[in-house]
Amino acid sequence: MSRPRVDVVVLTMNDRPAEEAAAQATLLAQSGVDVRVVVVGNGCQPEVVPPGALTVCLPENIGIPGGRNAGADALHEAGDPADWLYFLDNDARFPRPDVLARLVAEAEQHPEAAWVQPRLTGPDDVTTPRRWVPRLRAANPGRPGRVTSMTEGVVLIRRAAFDAVGGWEHQLFLYHEGFDLAWRLYAAGWSGWYAAGIRMHHPLTTPARHALYHRLAARNRIWIAYRNLPALFIPLYVGAWTVITLARAVRGGGLRQTLRGMREGWSTRRTQLRRPMNWRTVYRLTAAGRPPVI
């Protein structure tokens, strides 16, 4: 039998060469699959590139979802695209050489799943912050099951499903593009699977390390609600996240930028293409453990 083929997209801004080299080394060590890699320079020429990899040099930083789309497009244009796409943060590492093969095997056992999500931990192979668990009930990160969100930088996605829904939404630039893509995949009839027994490693960083975090996270919550939700759910979703986001901002900082992002999101929401999910999709999301209210 032929081995599964996986196309891997890695983004870079040439800002962490040591981490990138380490991440790529663990990628090249994957066994049981045939891997093709593209390294996308978001506003730069990639400097750390594994042997035989494709490269894409974007003249400006178009954001993470746009950069990932550029990588997926380049792999498609190179011919004979693989059935599987893997999106890899350039500082994430494969702790074992069989991670990709096991993720593909999980996906084949769950043909209804458009994406399969490994458990993301810190370098200690144990610590999993709640924000890295792709469901509301995050107390037990080792429990597998159906999920409705994804951790975007370490995820395996079926190429056919990814292409059918148009890939990542580039206008989001950064933050919550995983929720948007997951909702669109559910609306297309797919679901997601959390393979909690398969681990990936990532530094224990926080999203707030990025200067744009508070503004874009608040803006994008409103944008994805307007893009995807039935009209009845938009005020419920936005209201719930307004309370949560403001409470976090008061406690952890960034209140001014959060308020700015909320104003921007609401005033520009109509710039987003609106394709509300139907009520069957709402039911399926709810049955999977996360109604589209929070």
Side-chain angles (χ1 to χ4, degrees):
M1 295 179 61
S2 60
R3 299 198 302 180
R5 296 169 51 244
V6 181
D7 284 342
V8 181
V9 178
V10 183
L11 298 189
T12 184
M13 294 181 68
N14 294 332
D15 55 347
R16 47 170 77 105
E19 291 89 341
E20 290 183 37
Q24 292 178 13
T26 65
L27 169 60
L28 297 180
Q30 291 301 291
S31 61
V33 293
D34 292 329
V35 172
R36 182 172 58 167
V37 182
V38 62
V39 181
V40 180
N42 225 343
C44 64
Q45 177 67 46
E47 295 176 356
V48 182
V49 181
L54 304 173
T55 59
V56 174
C57 178
L58 298 173
E60 61 180 325
N61 180 1
I62 63 173
I64 287 180
R68 290 186 181 128
N69 284 342
D73 291 344
L75 289 162
H76 191 281
E77 291 166 5
D80 195 22
D83 291 338
W84 309 100
L85 282 165
Y86 193 79
F87 294 94
L88 176 67
D89 273 357
N90 63 356
D91 55 351
R93 302 188 188 187
F94 296 88
R96 295 171 39 152
D98 62 350
V99 171
L100 280 179
R102 293 172 66 201
L103 286 172
V104 172
E106 285 274 342
E108 290 175 340
Q109 292 176 20
H110 299 280
E112 76 288 349
W115 77 94
V116 175
Q117 184 74 64
R119 175 181 172 182
L120 191 60
T121 77
D124 62 2
D125 200 50
V126 175
T127 305
T128 300
R130 292 181 66 89
R131 67 181 180 277
W132 286 355
V133 182
R135 59 167 174 257
L136 288 176
R137 297 173 62 188
N140 180 9
R143 179 171 60 87
R146 188 173 299 172
V147 290
T148 66
S149 65
M150 63 176 70
T151 305
E152 302 94 334
V154 288
V155 63
L156 182 78
I157 306 180
R158 296 179 193 271
R159 162 68 85 163
F162 180 83
D163 289 346
V165 300
W168 306 96
E169 175 46 55
H170 72 279
Q171 291 186 75
L172 297 175
F173 193 83
L174 181 63
Y175 304 120
H176 306 325
E177 66 270 19
F179 271 108
D180 178 78
L181 180 56
W183 281 351
R184 286 186 284 121
L185 288 167
Y186 259 84
W190 297 92
S191 64
W193 184 259
Y194 178 44
I198 305 173
R199 287 175 168 80
M200 284 290 296
H201 290 175
H202 192 282
L204 292 168
T205 54
T206 66
R209 71 189 187 278
H210 298 293
L212 294 173
Y213 168 70
H214 295 288
R215 179 174 67 86
L216 294 189
R219 181 198 71 179
N220 289 354
R221 283 287 183 192
I222 294 172
W223 277 7
I224 66 171
Y226 183 80
R227 286 170 52 83
N228 296 286
L229 295 183
L232 176 64
F233 276 78
I234 293 175
L236 298 175
Y237 182 88
V238 172
W241 276 107
T242 295
V243 173
I244 293 170
T245 302
L246 289 177
R248 289 174 177 173
V250 169
R251 184 174 64 249
L255 178 60
R256 179 177 297 180
Q257 289 300 309
T258 295
L259 292 172
R260 179 184 171 191
M262 288 178 174
R263 287 195 299 270
E264 181 182 348
W266 192 252
S267 65
T268 62
R269 67 192 186 281
R270 298 188 189 281
T271 65
Q272 301 300 297
L273 178 63
R274 180 158 164 73
R275 291 179 177 170
M277 64 183 67
N278 59 33
W279 290 103
R280 173 169 171 75
T281 301
V282 171
Y283 169 78
R284 292 179 63 239
L285 289 167
T286 304
R290 191 160 195 157
V293 176
I294 188 170

